[in-house]
Amino acid sequence: MSSGGSLSTMQRLVEQLKLEAAVERIKVSQAAAELQQYCMQNACKDALLVGVPAGSNPFREPRSCTLL
Amino acid sequence: MDQTFLAIVFGPCDKCSKNKPLRPVSVKSEQRSYCSLCVEMMATEGLHENETLASLKSEAESLKGKLEEERAKLHDVELHQVAERVEALGQFVMKTRRTLKGHGNKVLCMDWCKDKRRIVSSSQDGKVIVWDSFTTNKEHAVTMPCTWVMACAYAPSGCAIACGGLDNKCSVYPLTFEKNENMAAKKKSVAMHTNYLSACSFTNSDMQILTASGDGTCALWDVESGQLLQSFHGHGADVLCLDLAPSETGNTFVSGGCDKKAMVWDMRSGQCVQSFETHDSDINSVRYYPSGDAFASGSDDATCRLYDLRADREVAIYSKESIIFGASSVDFSLSGRLLFAGYNDYTINVWDVLKGSRVSILFGHENRVSTLRVSPDGTAFCSGSWDHTLRVSAGRLI
């Protein structure tokens, strides 16, 4: 929003900033640890990370016929 | 407060008690008589001290400063430092498994069906195509009445698609399997914006659609009635992208715009609950981390960034000096460890989300990559390009 906005725009901006300032936050160290934990827990299911058993990849090279 | 100038009377002022020419004045619907000095003072007192424009501006500035301070207090470590002990990823081998050809012009958007196989894509030439990515067959096609169909989405049931662009609308087309299907005849106009539609997404059901527009707003619509259920105001410029939070994490979504801001919204109240402004240019793409605790963004400033919602701050930047073209589209692999990003220099970079390093660079498209999505079960990803094609790629560490 341009800083030359009307009075009501500025009032809304101030209210919005008050709301955002009041958000409850956790430390980055804790947030980062949890992001990492999620990755580790789900890595084994991530086909783009660990691959899938050969033959079960639906996008393997097309063969001469496809089963419906 | 009302000022009238009908009759001027001389006498004691109701406010200061001095004998002066008085004016009748209405204060809280009561008639008073004030001298001209007190009338002037009333006019300025009528506004609370913190409501003048200048003082509001300085209050806004100090609140922004406070917000930064509060966020900085909790910035005790960088994400990549926490991830130092994590095993580094090896070499990636990605291969294009399917190439979908058929669009007559730039591919602008695509979305996967929940069946992990079908794909809807939309193009500058006005065409929207539904593909079977296993066989590369085109199953449905419709021509929109406008060019630049910038947004398309698959309904959760797989029975409909939504799309829109320069027509300023989002329309829903049911998909049937009739022999001579006439998709255009069944078209249902749902959303109406006052500028182009940049993004759309069904919510958890076929019943509601969320839209983002060049008019600076996002909106939630009821598909059946076309009724506007909620609108989201706050971006200072065109909104270019949106993503819904994974259903387990509740009713929020994130949007990104030309105002360089990413905003997180409460869908029920229409309120912006968190906003982030660290990019140096337009945000073209936003995508939630699979757990819903963070989201990534891709921008014209040639960087992608990760924002953690509980720490309420940016926690990683994915960039390299050699990458100077904008990132148009981002998506995570299933575990959130990899971030795939399509760029305007025709490449796709694959980033290690935790360590912040690039693990792979994928070539193949012959023009800008405009859209990219990982399949619902994470086995592959699809990229769409201005080179008129879509490519489905898969691969792994070796």
Side-chain angles (χ1 to χ4, degrees):
Chain A
M1 282 293 174
S2 72
S3 52
S6 70
L7 198 67
S8 60
T9 309
M10 282 311 292
Q11 279 174 321
R12 265 184 273 131
L13 178 63
V14 167
E15 287 314 307
Q16 181 60 33
L17 286 167
K18 283 183 185 165
L19 217 105
E20 290 182 29
V23 160
E24 272 188 37
R25 298 174 190 85
I26 65 171
K27 284 193 195 166
V28 174
S29 51
Q30 190 196 336
E34 292 182 27
L35 290 175
Q36 183 175 311
Q37 187 183 40
Y38 187 90
C39 280
M40 301 294 109
Q41 280 173 348
N42 291 284
C44 53
K45 295 185 255 172
D46 190 341
L48 289 166
L49 197 66
V50 299
V52 287
S56 76
N57 183 346
F59 290 105
R60 69 187 184 284
E61 292 307 313
R63 308 262 185 262
S64 54
C65 62
T66 24
L67 288 165
L68 288 165
Chain B
M1 198 203 78
D2 235 330
Q3 285 187 41
T4 52
F5 296 84
L6 288 172
I8 295 178
V9 169
F10 193 89
C13 169
D14 281 345
K15 192 166 169 69
C16 67
S17 312
K18 292 183 184 161
N19 276 332
K20 287 186 169 183
L22 301 176
R23 288 185 195 153
V25 147
S26 197
V27 178
K28 292 179 187 162
S29 9
E30 278 180 23
Q31 279 293 343
R32 300 274 167 83
S33 296
Y34 282 9
C35 69
S36 53
L37 192 66
C38 289
V39 165
E40 247 181 63
M41 278 171 55
M42 270 299 299
T44 47
E45 271 171 47
L47 289 170
H48 295 295
E49 204 183 291
N50 65 353
E51 278 179 11
T52 62
L53 198 62
S55 59
L56 278 174
K57 276 187 207 172
S58 67
E59 194 180 350
E61 287 310 307
S62 86
L63 278 169
K64 278 186 195 167
K66 183 175 174 222
L67 192 57
E68 282 320 302
E69 246 181 69
E70 291 300 312
R71 283 172 168 168
K73 276 184 199 168
L74 298 162
H75 188 198
D76 53 346
V77 78
E78 298 292 338
L79 172 60
H80 64 83
Q81 289 171 305
V82 168
E84 248 155 47
R85 298 221 207 97
V86 174
E87 218 180 289
L89 296 171
Q91 191 55 32
F92 264 86
V93 176
M94 293 278 165
K95 269 180 128 179
T96 296
R97 301 282 182 199
R98 301 287 190 278
T99 303
L100 306 178
K101 293 185 185 177
H103 276 296
N105 212 320
K106 307 177 173 71
V107 175
L108 302 175
C109 190
M110 59 80 41
D111 191 19
W112 287 90
C113 177
K114 280 203 155 78
D115 71 0
K116 312 160 233 177
R117 163 177 189 153
R118 284 169 180 83
I119 285 173
V120 63
S121 61
S122 63
S123 163
Q124 185 195 344
D125 67 358
K127 285 218 170 45
V128 178
I129 299 176
V130 175
W131 315 76
D132 175 345
S133 65
F134 287 6
T135 62
T136 75
N137 288 341
K138 296 178 202 43
E139 293 193 341
H140 308 268
V142 70
T143 304
M144 293 280 286
C146 66
T147 57
W148 288 90
V149 188
M150 293 172 248
C152 63
Y154 229 115
S157 68
C159 297
I161 53 142
C163 55
L166 286 186
D167 58 353
N168 299 359
K169 295 188 208 169
C170 185
S171 306
V172 173
Y173 292 87
L175 299 173
T176 64
F177 291 89
E178 294 160 4
K179 215 157 178 35
N180 296 310
E181 177 188 47
N182 181 358
M183 273 180 75
K186 308 238 174 85
K187 171 178 172 172
K188 194 181 186 53
S189 279
V190 174
M192 289 278 290
H193 278 279
T194 55
N195 209 327
Y196 64 90
L197 187 83
S198 55
C200 63
S201 174
F202 284 86
T203 61
N204 295 334
S205 77
D206 287 18
M207 302 292 136
Q208 292 181 355
I209 284 190
L210 196 55
T211 57
S213 169
D215 67 13
T217 71
C218 297
L220 180 67
W221 310 82
D222 177 85
V223 172
E224 193 52 50
S225 64
Q227 196 192 348
L228 174 67
L229 298 172
Q230 186 61 262
S231 66
F232 306 89
H233 296 257
H235 276 288
D238 307 22
V239 188
L240 298 179
C241 51
L242 63 80
D243 191 36
L244 266 125
S247 35
E248 312 80 54
T249 49
N251 286 327
T252 60
F253 73 95
V254 60
S255 63
C258 291
D259 58 356
K260 313 174 197 171
K261 288 208 277 198
M263 302 179 81
V264 181
W265 307 86
D266 179 318
M267 278 169 72
R268 276 172 290 211
S269 67
Q271 189 83 45
C272 168
V273 294
Q274 285 170 274
S275 77
F276 305 89
E277 198 172 347
T278 63
H279 273 292
D280 298 317
S281 188
D282 299 0
I283 297 179
N284 299 313
S285 176
V286 285
R287 194 74 63 210
Y288 270 92
Y289 186 77
S291 71
D293 290 330
F295 69 90
S297 58
S299 164
D300 273 351
D301 69 6
T303 72
C304 297
R305 295 176 198 234
L306 186 69
Y307 299 89
D308 188 289
L309 292 168
R310 287 150 334 131
D312 186 40
R313 63 171 297 123
E314 176 193 288
V315 292
I317 305 182
Y318 308 101
S319 66
K320 266 180 118 61
E321 266 187 47
S322 53
I323 300 175
I324 57 171
F325 284 83
S328 64
S329 194
V330 299
D331 202 0
F332 287 99
S333 70
L334 198 105
S335 66
R337 182 67 192 270
L338 302 174
L339 182 71
F340 292 86
Y343 290 76
N344 293 341
D345 64 2
Y346 315 175
T347 67
I348 293 169
N349 288 302
V350 188
W351 300 91
D352 180 331
V353 169
L354 300 179
K355 289 188 178 287
S357 52
R358 180 174 64 184
V359 290
S360 196
I361 177 168
L362 307 171
F363 303 94
H365 278 295
E366 292 163 18
N367 207 319
R368 289 193 187 192
V369 177
S370 53
T371 180
L372 187 156
R373 296 295 295 261
V374 171
S375 70
D377 63 353
T379 52
F381 66 91
C382 179
S383 54
S385 164
W386 281 18
D387 70 7
H388 309 189
T389 71
L390 294 119
R391 284 163 184 256
V392 180
S393 307
R396 60 184 184 87
L397 292 162
I398 52 156

